[in-house]
């Protein structure tokens, strides 16, 4: 249902039930705001989103965030009355702000800065000495630094810890202009989602220790991606400069993660940069890629096709697993391609799911089963001569018994992204691209097919698992592996797999494509018990 | 002035706060009549009476009660606002300590009209002795069948609890009070939703001032029309008016609306103390100040106050003599509002303290005319731009003081043209 | 000192808590009880109250810091709250303050060395017609003058000495 309203004399049709602020922002009509956040209860305290409404007794000021649009509503965001109110609210906010932008990490994405440039631009006229509002550089948690004098007391962070995590670590003490954001003395802001408070802080009051003083935000280039730390598949921005990832930021997706991510996902940016393997290794020693490929080609061509065991991966993309499966299907025995899943981990009713990998559903779609009893029996019988492992660091989580039997296989070939000590025991280790370096698709536990995109290209010489296997297959003169990029692989697999709509990679929307699967419903919807967000905004408008 | 006191009739009786004495002097006499009416008839009677909220805003009481949704599936609450904190106001405290049963009688009537079965009386924390008296009154009323189930043989049931505030002016604002009652900081709520729909604990709630409810028993007993015949056309009934400041005899007196302000000061306050009349803040410190001249045709009524650009407010007038330095008085008030701002809305949180700091600078002789103009501008940027009226309550005195007594402020200023740099 | 309510106090609290549909609504009463029992609301006390009201400590901290009648630091046996607002100011509140400061040698917000008196300035106490006024502990003292203040303070010292005997 849509209704007709007018903003600044411009006729608009907007969804029924949304508020004026969303109606304006969704139609590219700028309107200043601090305390409003789409996924938090309305507080209405910053008083910056003031608009004028035409009424029976003339125009009246109101806050846009707490006023729902009604049929025929006539709204002004740019009338003199509204503009004075917006401007003066901003002036009040900036009154005792330290203006330490040169040393503030929020500079460049600070609402005070942005709004001043857009709506303020008045001459500063405090006329009295500045009042100092509290402490700087206070460590209030493992990841969080609080700067009290930068705080504009919008209560976004408080509403987040009250309503989303329900942990209530933050509060404002004192009254009036002495109001100060704080934790209870001696108690930390240390919930599994605490990093989000730094995203929603409109100013530099809450900053992330891991990002402080690391990089100016205007140098960062953003790439749409997906978090790989669990089966939720939270939407991310990978933010990098000069091939170094400085932070992972949540990317709004109303159905999957709203504007939140967990700390574990957020901190995984380090893994993108650190401990990468970039050269092929023979028993732990760097060796020439060409000769190693030739070597394993000989092994694979020389061995009986029944004696090859493949391990697919819930961390790899659909494309990677698809190509591996295709090779087993076309050349070897498909029954000998299995996956290994790590034990279940911590979960909650907000975002985190116990499956600590991003593409378990993808394996199910490709009908790659988990390691079965019969395979284990064959392993114990020393049946296999070749083990081909793709992006599955089983040595990190598999039982010692299983690891022992796997390591008894004569020829072990591993495609992987990160360095490990076990490589000394492995005949051939080939580096492949990690998730921040490649195109690909993942299916999350709710059944959304989602895209990852390359954010960095630190190691142009290495390729994706799918392309590595495709090239190997081509070398082995196996037809049907003429792929140069994962995008081509996806386009082929979407034709082949009946479960997918026949779409091409670039047609997958950035917020994912819902695929009706038997497995849907396995994962709980996020935020069970939390405020519903249906019909609260203009679809497609990203909230900042 | 000849009239029948309604609110203060038992004030001068010894031990009037005990149930026995109160009963001997007519307490709870309105209950049989109350229970003979249907709740909606009671609301209608209050509407006819023209009774307005005595807490300061003057909202028609009957209309407020009628906002409670019919057939609510949630419990309905009555909350009594006894958080008397407006400077210049002190008569609720008198009712609480001298005639708590009058209030309880009004509480029963209001609760019956809106069909609330639980009422909370929120009393400001400083009134420790008054709370003791009130608690005793509730206990006595309960033991004698005036509270509890089947009150005086009716089917009506009501529990009354006393809730002690803890020192915050803002809890006098009805939604701030509700927050405080719920165990939170007394920060006013954004509206909508209004308390009548979603108030205490998310349920339909009516919040009424002590004096408003204490006015109800008389209306029940004598009818709305009889009440409306007292006072003036738009200000019906009686009110307890207070006088403080520079008067010979400060105090409170129950009067019908309509008495001229100067007569009130002369007759009851026995005139201005230590000088001549300079100004009156007519209804608690938040209402715009009036000059002596403006007071000449001012009467104690909602309409006369409105005509003079001010408000009846709480009815507590503060008298100021001609020996008084107005900037100093305004500084006293801006300090009050800066101290009492709950800190929620930006314009109030920052504005009240900014005004206070600017005024301090002016009084120290360090300011120019620009600071004075800035004060007026800030007042404009505060008023009407916040969740509750505290910002306006600060802005109105600032604007009216500077407008009406600008000369006194200018005496403090440095000659204009002197550039004052911004201190960082 | 371990801050825990005695059983009678805990029972008293539970009776009060039953008056409200939410447990949090009993926070102000709980803090009043705590102040009565422990004299002032230390962080330790606030943490304890959070436990019995079943909310987070910072939510108790916020509330305790919001309301002026809750003492966040120790106060004297006699705690003086002197009104500074308009009607009292017009009637000589400043003289009252000076008299107290001279008598007790303290500034607002301080406590005397013998911990007998503490003194603070407060906003309007709703006793404007009897200005200037102050509260000492639970009681109002009205129509004050500097002489009367001295008398009251001397009387309190005497009362305290007598009780000591």
């Amino acid at each position: 249902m849509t209704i007709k309203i007018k903003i600044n004399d411009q006729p608009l049709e907007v969804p029924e039930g949304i508020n004026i602020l969303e109606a304006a922002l969704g139609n590219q009509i700028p309107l200043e705001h601090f305390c409003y956040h789409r996924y938090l209860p309305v507080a209405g305290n910053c008083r910056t989103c003031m608009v004028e409404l035409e009424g029976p007794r003339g125009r009246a000021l109101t806050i846009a965030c707490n006023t729902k649009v009604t049929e025929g509503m006539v709204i002004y965001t740019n009338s003199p009355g509204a503009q004075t109110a917006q401007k003066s609210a901003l002036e009040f906010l900036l009154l005792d702000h330290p203006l330490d932008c040169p040393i503030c990490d929020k500079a460049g994405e600070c609402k005070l800065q942005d709004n001043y440039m857009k709506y303020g631009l008045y001459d500063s006229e405090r006329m009295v000495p500045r009042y100092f509002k509290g402490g700087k550089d206070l460590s209030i948690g493992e990841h969080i630094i609080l700067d009290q004098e930068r705080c504009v007391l919008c209560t976004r962070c408080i509403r987040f810890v009250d309503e989303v995590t329900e942990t209530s670590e933050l509060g404002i003490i004192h009254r009036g202009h002495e109001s100060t954001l704080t934790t209870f003395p001696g108690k930390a802001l240390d919930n599994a989602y605490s990093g989000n408070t730094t995203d929603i802080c409109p100013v530099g009051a809450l900053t992330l220790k891991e990002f402080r003083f690391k990089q100016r935000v205007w140098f960062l280039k953003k790439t749409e991606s997906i978090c790989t730390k669990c089966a939720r598949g939270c939407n991310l921005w990978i933010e990098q400069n000069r091939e170094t990832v400085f932070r992972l930021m949540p990317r709004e997706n109303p159905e999957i993660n709203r504007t939140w991510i967990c700390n574990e996902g957020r901190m995984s940016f380090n893994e993108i940069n650190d401990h990468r393997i970039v050269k092929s290794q023979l028993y732990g020693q760097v060796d020439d890629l060409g000769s190693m490929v030739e070597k394993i080609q000989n092994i694979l061509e020389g061995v009986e096709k029944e004696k090859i065991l493949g391990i697919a991966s819930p961390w790899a993309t659909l494309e990677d697993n698809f190509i591996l499966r295709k090779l087993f299907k076309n050349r070897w025995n498909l029954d000998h391609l299995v996956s290994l899943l790590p034990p279940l981990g911590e979960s909650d009713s907000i975002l985190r799911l116990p499956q600590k990998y991003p593409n378990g559903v993808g394996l199910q779609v490709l009908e790659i089963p988990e390691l079965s009893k019969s395979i284990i029996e064959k392993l114990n019988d020393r049946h296999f001569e070749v083990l081909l492992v793709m992006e599955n660091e089983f040595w990190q989580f598999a039982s010692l018994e299983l690891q022992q039997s796997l390591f008894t296989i004569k020829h072990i070939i591993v495609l992987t992204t990160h360095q490990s000590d076990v490589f000394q025991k492995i005949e051939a280790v080939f580096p492949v691209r990690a998730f921040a370096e490649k195109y690909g698709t993942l299916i999350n536990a709710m059944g959304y097919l989602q895209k990852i995109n390359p954010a960095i290209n630190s190691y142009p010489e290495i390729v994706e698992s799918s392309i590595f296997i495709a090239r190997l297959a081509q070398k082995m003169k196996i037809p049907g592996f003429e792929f140069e990029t994962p995008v081509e692989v996806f386009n082929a697999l979407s034709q082949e797999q009946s479960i997918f709509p026949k779409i091409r990679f670039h047609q997958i929307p950035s917020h994912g494509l819902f695929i009706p699967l038997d497995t849907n419903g396995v994962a709980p919807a996020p935020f069970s018990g939390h405020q519903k967000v249906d019909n609260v905004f203009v679809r497609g408008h990203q909230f900042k | 002035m000849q009239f029948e006191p309604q609110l203060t009739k038992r004030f001068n009786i010894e031990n009037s706060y005990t149930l026995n004495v109160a009963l001997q002097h007519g307490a709870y006499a309105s209950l049989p009549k109350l229970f003979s009416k249907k709740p909606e008839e009671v609301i209608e009677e209050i509407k006819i009476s023209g009774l307005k909220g005595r807490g300061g805003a003057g909202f028609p009481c009957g209309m407020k009660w009628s906002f409670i949704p019919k057939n609510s599936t949630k419990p309905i609450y009555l909350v009594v606002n006894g958080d008397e904190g407006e400077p210049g106001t002190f008569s609720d405290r008198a009712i609480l300590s001298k005639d708590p049963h009058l209030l309880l009688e009004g509480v029963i009537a209001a609760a019956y009209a809106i069909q609330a079965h639980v009422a909370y009386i929120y009393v400001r924390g400083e009134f420790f002795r008054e709370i003791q008296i009130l608690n005793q009154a509730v206990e006595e009323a309960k033991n004698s069948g005036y509270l509890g189930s089947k009150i005086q043989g009716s089917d009506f049931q009501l529990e009354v609890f006393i809730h002690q505030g803890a020192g915050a002016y803002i809890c006098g604002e009805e939604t701030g009070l509700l927050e405080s009652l719920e165990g939170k900081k007394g920060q006013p709520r954004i509206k909508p939703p209004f308390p009548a729909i979603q108030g205490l604990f998310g349920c339909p709630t009516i919040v009424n001032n002590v004096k408003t409810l204490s006015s109800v028993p008389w209306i029940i007993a004598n009818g709305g029309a009889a009440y409306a015949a007292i006072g003036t056309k738009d200000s019906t009934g009686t009110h307890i008016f207070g006088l403080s400041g520079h008067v010979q005899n400060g105090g409170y007196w129950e009067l019908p609306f309509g008495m001229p302000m100067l007569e009130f000061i002369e007759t009851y306050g026995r005139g201005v103390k230590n000088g001549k009349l300079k100004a009156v803040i007519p209804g608690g410190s938040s209402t715009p100040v009036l000059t002596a001249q403006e007071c000449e045709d001012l009467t104690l009524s909602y309409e006369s106050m409105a005509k003079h650009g001010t408000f009846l407010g709480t009815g507590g007038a503060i008298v100021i003599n001609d020996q008084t330095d107005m900037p100093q008085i305004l500084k006293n008030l801006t300090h009050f509002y800066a101290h009492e701002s709950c800190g929620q809305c930006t314009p109030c949180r920052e504005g009240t303290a900014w005004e206070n700091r600017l005024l301090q600078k002016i009084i120290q002789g360090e300011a120019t005319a620009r600071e004075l103009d800035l004060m007026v501008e800030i007042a404009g940027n505060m008023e009407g731009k916040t969740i509750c009226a505290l910002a306006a309550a600060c802005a109105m005195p600032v604007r009216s003081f500077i407008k009406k007594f600008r000369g006194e402020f200018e005496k403090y200023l440095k000659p204009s043209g002197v550039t004052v740099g911004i201190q960082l | 000192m371990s801050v825990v309510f005695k059983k009678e106090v805990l029972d008293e609290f539970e009776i009060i808590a039953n008056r409200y549909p939410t447990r949090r609504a009993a926070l102000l009463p709980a803090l009043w009880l705590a102040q009565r029992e422990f004299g002032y609301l230390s962080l330790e006390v606030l943490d304890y109250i959070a436990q019995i009201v079943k909310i987070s400590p910072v939510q108790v901290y916020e509330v305790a810091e919001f309301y002026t009648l809750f003492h966040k630091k120790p106060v004297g046996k006699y705690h003086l709250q002197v009104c500074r607002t308009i009607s009292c100011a017009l009637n000589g509140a400043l003289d009252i303050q000076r008299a107290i400061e001279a008598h007790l040698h303290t500034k607002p917000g301080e406590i005397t060395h013998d911990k007998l008196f503490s003194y603070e300035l407060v906003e309007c106490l709703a006793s404007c017609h009897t200005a200037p006024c102050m509260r000492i502990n639970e009681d109002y003292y009205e129509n004050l003058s500097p002489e009367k203040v001295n008398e009251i303070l001397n009387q309190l010292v005497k009362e305290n000495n007598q009780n000591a005997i």
Side-chain angles (χ1 to χ4, degrees):
Chain A
M1 279 290 287
T2 62
I3 56 170
K4 290 188 174 70
I5 59 166
K6 265 187 188 176
I7 302 182
N8 305 338
D9 299 322
Q10 181 188 345
L12 296 169
E13 270 190 49
V14 297
E16 197 179 356
I18 70 172
N19 62 52
I20 297 175
L21 183 60
E22 289 283 1
L25 298 176
N27 286 288
Q28 287 73 52
I29 296 164
L31 187 53
E32 186 184 344
H33 59 279
F34 286 87
C35 69
Y36 179 76
H37 191 283
R38 182 178 282 174
Y39 300 103
L40 295 173
V42 171
N45 61 35
C46 77
R47 316 306 290 182
T48 56
C49 67
M50 296 278 261
V51 296
E52 280 193 314
L53 295 186
E54 203 72 78
R57 282 172 292 175
R59 291 184 186 177
L61 274 175
T62 187
I63 46 172
C65 62
N66 194 43
T67 313
K68 297 235 186 300
V69 290
T70 54
E71 181 67 45
M73 193 178 247
V74 177
I75 303 153
Y76 293 93
T77 68
N78 62 359
S79 60
Q83 282 189 326
T84 308
Q86 295 158 10
K87 222 177 199 178
S88 65
L90 188 64
E91 188 178 13
F92 284 126
L93 281 177
L94 276 162
L95 185 65
D96 289 317
H97 189 78
L99 291 178
D100 56 347
C101 314
I103 55 155
C104 178
D105 287 275
K106 206 75 176 191
E109 54 182 8
C110 167
K111 279 203 183 298
L112 270 178
Q113 285 183 332
D114 295 349
N115 284 325
Y116 178 78
M117 295 313 290
K118 262 195 222 161
Y119 312 97
L121 293 177
Y122 52 80
D123 293 324
S124 181
E125 219 180 5
R126 189 192 313 121
M127 296 287 199
V128 286
R130 190 164 84 78
Y131 174 77
F132 288 86
K133 288 195 160 218
K136 291 189 93 64
D137 193 21
L138 309 170
S139 171
I140 58 164
E142 191 189 344
H143 302 296
I144 313 291
I145 294 281
L146 167 63
D147 186 315
Q148 289 169 326
E149 63 171 358
R150 289 178 189 157
C151 176
V152 292
L153 304 160
C154 69
T155 70
R156 275 181 171 192
C157 55
I158 298 177
R159 282 173 281 150
F160 178 81
V161 296
D162 282 351
E163 305 290 332
V164 180
T165 61
E166 297 176 345
T167 47
S168 302
E169 297 99 336
L170 291 168
I172 290 172
I173 55 162
H174 305 310
R175 306 196 298 218
H177 75 306
E178 292 175 351
S179 303
T180 315
L181 178 70
T182 181
T183 53
F184 188 78
K187 296 217 155 68
L189 169 61
D190 268 343
N191 64 62
Y193 296 85
S194 62
N196 292 294
T197 58
T198 66
D199 304 339
I200 58 178
C201 180
V203 295
L206 294 170
T207 48
L208 197 71
K209 286 182 186 170
E210 287 77 0
F211 183 66
R212 263 164 67 89
F213 308 133
K214 293 287 192 299
Q215 190 72 195
R216 280 305 192 182
V217 298
W218 51 84
F219 294 129
L220 294 174
K221 283 141 254 182
K222 296 161 77 165
T223 307
E224 288 183 359
S225 191
I226 302 297
C227 180
T228 58
K229 300 312 279 184
C230 89
R232 172 77 59 201
C234 292
N235 290 204
L236 291 181
W237 291 109
I238 299 178
E239 302 196 1
Q240 60 86 24
N241 184 28
R242 300 184 185 191
E243 313 304 332
T244 299
V245 175
F246 284 95
R247 63 178 183 181
L248 300 177
M249 292 287 274
R251 179 164 58 89
E252 182 180 1
N253 187 320
E255 274 78 26
I256 295 172
N257 58 302
R258 299 191 178 174
T259 48
W260 321 127
I261 53 173
C262 70
N263 286 353
E264 195 188 344
R266 185 184 300 269
M267 298 310 159
S268 67
F269 77 95
N270 280 323
E271 296 171 16
I272 302 170
N273 303 324
D274 301 342
H275 307 295
R276 288 298 312 284
I277 167 171
V278 292
K279 297 271 189 223
S280 46
Q281 294 180 18
L282 196 65
Y283 290 111
Q285 298 300 313
V286 173
D287 207 336
D288 175 58
L289 178 66
S291 61
M292 274 182 66
V293 169
E294 210 166 296
K295 193 171 171 208
I296 62 151
Q297 187 190 339
N298 290 335
I299 293 169
L300 290 170
E301 282 171 345
V303 74
E304 244 180 275
K305 65 174 188 173
E306 287 296 327
K307 302 246 163 137
I308 302 172
L309 175 64
I311 295 181
S313 169
W315 289 277
T317 61
L318 268 177
E319 295 72 24
D320 299 326
N321 285 314
F322 172 78
I323 287 288
L324 186 62
R325 178 175 175 275
K326 196 175 168 91
L327 186 57
F328 271 83
K329 192 176 162 196
N330 290 7
R331 193 55 173 275
W332 304 322
N333 182 351
L334 189 54
D335 292 342
H336 291 167
L337 177 63
V338 294
S339 68
L340 274 175
L341 303 180
L344 298 181
E346 239 184 299
S347 65
D348 55 40
S349 64
I350 303 168
L351 294 174
R352 295 185 301 161
L353 293 176
Q355 303 87 2
K356 298 295 166 194
Y357 41 82
N359 202 21
V361 179
L363 288 173
Q364 292 171 37
V365 166
L366 295 173
E367 292 168 335
I368 299 173
E370 275 195 70
L371 181 70
S372 63
K373 233 179 170 173
S374 65
I375 299 282
I376 292 175
E377 275 166 19
K378 285 183 183 170
L379 264 175
N380 292 340
D381 295 345
R382 307 275 172 104
H383 170 82
F384 298 108
E385 286 181 18
V386 176
L387 174 64
L388 180 55
V389 184
M390 187 188 73
E391 300 187 39
N392 196 330
E393 296 174 340
F394 65 84
W395 49 86
Q396 305 253 23
F397 58 83
S399 70
L400 276 179
E401 200 186 341
L402 178 62
Q403 290 195 29
Q404 271 167 5
S405 18
L406 287 168
F407 280 120
T408 55
I409 297 175
K410 192 173 165 199
H411 302 290
I412 304 177
I413 302 155
V414 168
L415 309 185
T416 192
T417 53
H418 284 73
Q419 193 57 264
S420 168
D421 292 341
V422 302
F423 292 171
Q424 291 163 4
K425 292 198 265 180
I426 294 172
E427 184 166 353
V429 175
F430 294 102
V432 288
R433 292 193 171 201
F435 89 100
E437 296 156 5
K438 66 182 182 182
Y439 289 106
T441 58
L442 306 164
I443 304 177
N444 83 349
M446 300 156 74
Y448 283 91
L449 174 73
Q450 306 196 92
K451 282 191 292 195
I452 56 170
N453 298 290
I456 50 175
N457 189 17
S458 315
Y459 315 108
E461 66 281 9
I462 62 178
V463 295
E464 303 80 359
S465 290
S466 56
I467 300 308
F468 184 90
I469 296 166
R471 287 187 186 166
L472 190 65
Q474 285 178 53
K475 273 185 187 292
M476 293 162 73
K477 305 275 182 321
I478 307 169
F481 285 88
E482 294 75 19
F483 300 111
E484 284 303 315
T485 67
V487 172
E488 292 172 21
V489 178
F490 176 82
N491 293 341
L493 92 88
S494 80
Q495 296 298 316
E496 252 176 63
Q497 296 293 125
S498 60
I499 204 147
F500 291 115
K502 304 272 174 281
I503 59 165
R504 302 182 74 76
F505 184 83
H506 70 268
Q507 291 169 317
I508 303 171
S510 60
H511 57 269
L513 181 72
F514 183 70
I515 298 173
L517 299 170
D518 296 345
T519 51
N520 288 0
V522 172
F527 319 106
S528 42
H530 291 271
Q531 183 199 7
K532 268 183 86 87
V533 292
D534 295 348
N535 217 24
V536 296
F537 52 88
V538 178
R539 287 268 150 182
H541 168 68
Q542 288 268 324
F543 182 75
K544 284 190 195 99
Chain B
M1 190 177 278
Q2 286 304 305
F3 75 101
E4 180 198 341
Q6 304 168 8
L7 299 160
T8 57
K9 60 189 170 201
R10 289 191 285 269
F11 273 26
N12 293 325
I13 299 165
E14 207 182 331
N15 296 331
S16 59
Y17 56 87
T18 61
L19 181 63
N20 271 340
V21 175
L23 281 174
Q24 282 162 29
H25 293 87
Y28 300 107
S30 70
L31 292 189
K33 206 154 175 196
L34 173 77
F35 293 129
S36 73
K37 290 174 190 286
K38 290 191 191 126
E40 53 273 24
E41 289 169 352
V42 177
I43 296 179
E44 197 48 41
E45 208 64 58
I46 300 299
K47 278 187 181 167
I48 291 168
S49 77
L51 174 65
K52 289 182 182 172
R54 302 291 193 233
F59 193 82
C61 180
M63 199 197 288
K64 194 179 205 178
W65 291 3
S66 67
F67 292 153
I68 290 286
K70 301 282 167 279
N71 310 317
S72 166
T73 52
K74 294 181 188 168
I76 295 165
Y77 291 108
L78 175 69
V79 175
V80 184
N81 185 344
D83 192 59
E84 185 168 52
E86 176 77 10
T89 312
F90 38 85
S91 53
D92 288 353
R93 192 178 148 219
I95 294 179
L96 294 175
S97 59
K98 291 182 195 287
D99 198 357
H101 290 288
L102 177 68
L103 172 63
L104 291 178
E105 192 178 343
V107 167
I108 296 166
Y112 177 73
I114 62 169
Q115 288 294 296
H117 299 294
V118 176
Y120 295 99
I121 305 180
Y122 186 104
V123 185
R124 86 175 270 195
E126 285 87 342
F127 295 171
F128 191 84
R129 298 296 169 209
E130 289 76 5
I131 288 170
Q132 285 180 327
I133 292 168
L134 196 54
N135 267 322
Q136 193 199 326
V138 169
E139 204 54 37
E140 284 186 322
K142 209 163 30 182
N143 294 339
S144 303
Y146 292 99
L147 292 175
S149 57
K150 296 204 180 298
I151 294 173
Q152 293 301 294
S154 72
D155 283 334
F156 187 62
Q157 174 193 335
L158 178 65
E159 291 253 42
V160 173
F161 299 115
I162 315 299
H163 192 94
Q164 185 180 10
Y169 169 70
I170 194 58
C171 294
E173 199 277 349
E174 63 174 5
T175 57
L177 186 149
L178 295 179
E179 285 285 295
S180 180
L181 235 172
E182 290 184 9
K184 300 171 193 162
K185 296 185 286 181
Q187 296 189 319
R189 298 176 180 171
I190 40 171
K191 283 140 270 190
F194 290 93
I197 310 299
Q198 231 183 80
L200 189 62
F201 308 119
C203 300
T205 304
I206 290 296
V207 185
N208 277 140
N209 168 265
V210 168
K211 277 191 291 292
T212 316
L213 290 176
S214 300
S215 301
V216 170
W218 195 93
I219 299 171
I220 301 298
N222 299 280
Y227 191 84
I230 307 168
T232 71
K233 187 171 156 289
D234 293 318
S235 310
T236 61
T238 69
H239 189 21
I240 306 181
F241 293 97
L243 273 179
S244 67
H246 290 142
V247 282
Q248 300 287 358
N249 179 37
Y252 50 81
W253 299 272
E254 182 181 3
L255 294 169
F257 285 95
M259 176 177 278
M261 176 63 91
L262 295 181
E263 185 189 332
F264 181 50
I265 295 172
E266 282 309 314
T267 315
Y268 292 90
R270 292 197 216 119
V272 178
K273 190 161 76 175
N274 303 335
K276 281 190 283 185
L277 183 67
K278 180 189 210 167
V280 174
I281 304 175
S285 66
S286 311
T287 53
V289 66
L290 297 175
T291 61
Q293 201 191 352
E294 286 174 301
C295 289
E296 273 168 16
D297 61 342
L298 181 73
T299 65
L300 300 176
S301 67
Y302 293 101
E303 59 274 19
S304 176
M305 296 287 178
K307 223 178 89 189
H308 287 80
T310 187
F311 302 97
L312 184 83
T314 61
I318 302 164
V319 176
I320 298 167
N321 71 15
D322 60 356
Q323 307 300 305
T324 314
D325 185 45
M326 294 308 265
Q328 292 284 1
I329 296 305
L330 184 61
K331 200 184 122 229
N332 186 287
L333 291 181
T334 54
H335 181 283
F336 173 80
Y337 291 107
H339 183 261
E340 298 299 338
S341 167
C342 82
Q344 193 177 197
C345 300
T346 309
C348 176
R349 179 182 70 232
E350 307 299 333
T352 50
W354 196 5
E355 295 279 31
N356 191 44
R357 284 189 280 166
L358 280 169
L359 193 46
Q360 208 163 319
K361 185 178 175 190
I362 290 170
I363 287 174
Q364 282 165 359
E366 291 166 6
T368 67
R370 179 60 203 133
E371 276 89 332
L372 199 53
D373 293 338
L374 186 59
M375 281 192 71
V376 178
E377 275 170 41
I378 294 167
N381 289 338
M382 286 161 68
E383 195 175 352
K385 299 186 173 65
T386 49
I387 291 172
C388 81
L390 195 142
C394 178
M396 289 190 295
V398 166
R399 271 214 294 244
S400 60
F401 269 69
I402 295 177
K403 187 176 160 205
K404 294 174 186 178
F405 302 96
R406 192 173 174 103
E408 292 190 36
F409 288 86
E410 282 172 344
K411 272 191 222 153
Y412 281 105
L413 302 180
K414 279 193 204 174
S416 58
V418 178
T419 316
V420 181
I422 298 163
Q423 286 173 276
L424 288 169
Chain C
M1 184 185 75
S2 72
V3 282
V4 191
F5 278 162
K6 290 182 290 231
K7 187 174 178 306
E8 325 64 284
V9 183
L10 208 52
D11 292 345
E12 193 181 345
F13 169 71
E14 289 300 337
I15 289 168
I16 295 169
N18 276 331
R19 296 172 181 173
Y20 310 95
T22 67
R23 201 164 171 86
R24 184 169 184 171
L27 177 56
L28 259 56
L31 290 171
W32 276 118
L33 286 177
Q35 184 151 304
R36 187 188 77 192
E37 294 300 309
F38 306 118
Y40 76 104
L41 304 175
S42 64
L43 290 175
E44 217 181 344
V45 170
L46 298 182
D47 205 9
Y48 171 67
I49 296 299
Q51 287 168 34
I52 65 166
V53 182
K54 301 193 170 78
I55 53 177
S56 107
V58 79
Q59 290 171 330
V60 179
Y61 186 40
E62 274 189 324
V63 166
E65 291 283 351
F66 187 84
Y67 295 97
T68 53
L69 291 179
F70 292 136
H71 308 310
K72 274 70 73 176
K73 56 182 184 183
V75 292
K77 181 174 178 188
Y78 302 106
H79 183 61
L80 279 58
Q81 294 185 306
V82 181
C83 177
R84 60 154 300 282
T85 318
I86 182 163
S87 295
C88 285
L90 290 170
N91 285 291
L94 202 59
D95 299 333
I96 305 303
Q97 293 168 27
R98 287 190 187 124
I100 290 170
E101 285 169 27
H103 195 110
L104 300 178
H105 305 289
T106 55
K107 292 264 167 244
E110 290 177 357
I111 181 167
T112 53
H113 289 301
D114 56 6
K115 302 203 170 12
L116 198 54
F117 293 100
S118 52
Y119 151 60
E120 66 176 327
L121 294 178
V122 297
E123 300 294 349
C124 186
L125 290 172
S127 199
C128 314
H129 58 315
T130 56
C133 71
M134 68 172 167
R135 284 174 86 232
I136 300 178
N137 297 346
E138 276 100 33
D139 291 299
Y140 275 74
Y141 291 76
E142 299 165 318
N143 295 311
L144 297 176
S145 61
E147 297 75 39
K148 211 166 151 184
V149 164
N150 286 329
E151 228 171 85
I152 292 165
L153 295 178
N154 287 332
Q155 183 59 37
L156 289 175
V157 173
K158 221 160 97 186
E159 183 189 299
N160 180 62
N161 291 343
Q162 274 168 359
N163 288 347
I165 298 161

